[in-house]
Amino acid sequence: MVNKKKLTAGVAALILCITGVTYGTLAYFTDKDTRANVITIGHVTGTLTETDEHMRDDNTTGKDYTNVKPGDVLDKDPTVTLDKESEDAYVRVSINYEGLTKEQALAIENNLDISAGWTKSEDGYYYYNKEVPVGGCTSSLFTFVKIRNDVNKDELIPFDIICYCESVQAFGFKTADEAWSSLNN
């Protein structure tokens, strides 16, 4: 009986030794490691600015012109600059004329000196013809607004010229047209 107990204890010890060696060997030939991958989607951030603009009391930024007369030429140079954290991008700008009829707005727009590098499309936007690099900027869309000489004094009414810029990431697109059309899908 004592031999059975010793035999059972010996077999149990042997099984424990074999199990320990087996798991030790497996542990030696296996490994675990973890990686936490952070994926950040590129973004485009740009700012439309003008020379000598200022913040108004209503928290809007721009330029103010007072005592405007027929024939006056008003300095205005809307330019889009991409932030340093932005991706390369394509840029477009729309111009809205608040306070004017369509005919009056068209008369102002027809006298703008649209800079080289910008093209007006049928959708009403002005498209910058080059990809803008990170931290880079466009040329000014235009440099002045001219008030017609033949405007009657009673036609000189206050109005706002509002330029609105949009940009789309250039990476992943072969052309600017492809990038802009992707926004419509």
Side-chain angles (χ1 to χ4, degrees):
M1 182 98 157
V2 172
N3 282 339
K4 277 188 169 184
K5 284 185 179 179
K6 285 184 178 179
L7 182 63
T8 303
V11 170
L14 183 63
I15 290 174
L16 283 173
C17 285
I18 292 172
T19 303
V21 169
T22 303
Y23 282 116
T25 303
L26 287 175
Y28 183 76
F29 288 115
T30 61
D31 190 15
K32 289 184 181 178
D33 198 2
T34 303
R35 294 286 185 272
N37 295 310
V38 177
I39 299 171
T40 304
I41 304 303
H43 70 283
V44 176
T45 307
T47 307
L48 184 111
T49 58
E50 296 186 59
T51 305
D52 297 329
E53 66 184 9
H54 67 276
M55 178 71 77
R56 298 183 189 97
D57 292 338
D58 65 356
N59 288 329
T60 60
T61 303
K63 297 173 91 169
D64 297 322
Y65 305 93
T66 57
N67 202 21
V68 176
K69 299 175 213 53
D72 281 357
V73 177
L74 312 173
D75 292 332
K76 189 165 179 65
D77 58 351
T79 304
V80 179
T81 304
L82 293 183
D83 293 344
K84 290 182 177 150
E85 295 81 30
S86 180
E87 301 292 329
D88 296 350
Y90 298 109
V91 173
R92 68 183 179 184
V93 175
S94 67
I95 306 171
N96 297 312
Y97 305 89
E98 291 186 2
L100 298 178
T101 65
K102 283 185 179 184
E103 293 79 24
Q104 292 168 325
L106 187 59
I108 296 285
E109 188 151 348
N110 286 338
N111 284 316
L112 294 178
D113 66 321
I114 302 300
S115 300
W118 290 91
T119 304
K120 187 170 185 181
S121 181
E122 291 178 9
D123 62 6
Y125 282 95
Y126 287 90
Y127 288 84
Y128 193 60
N129 297 331
K130 298 177 190 172
E131 182 178 314
V132 181
V134 173
C137 64
T138 65
S139 61
S140 301
L141 176 57
F142 53 89
T143 59
F144 64 82
V145 174
K146 184 174 182 185
I147 306 301
R148 291 185 352 249
N149 286 325
D150 61 347
V151 173
N152 297 326
K153 186 172 179 151
D154 57 324
E155 289 181 308
L156 282 174
I157 56 173
F159 65 94
D160 296 327
I161 298 176
I162 300 173
C163 296
Y164 175 77
C165 76
E166 295 179 344
S167 51
V168 63
Q169 182 174 316
F171 180 78
F173 300 104
K174 293 177 185 168
T175 65
D177 289 339
E178 184 181 314
W180 289 114
S181 67
S182 73
L183 294 179
N184 299 328
N185 294 331

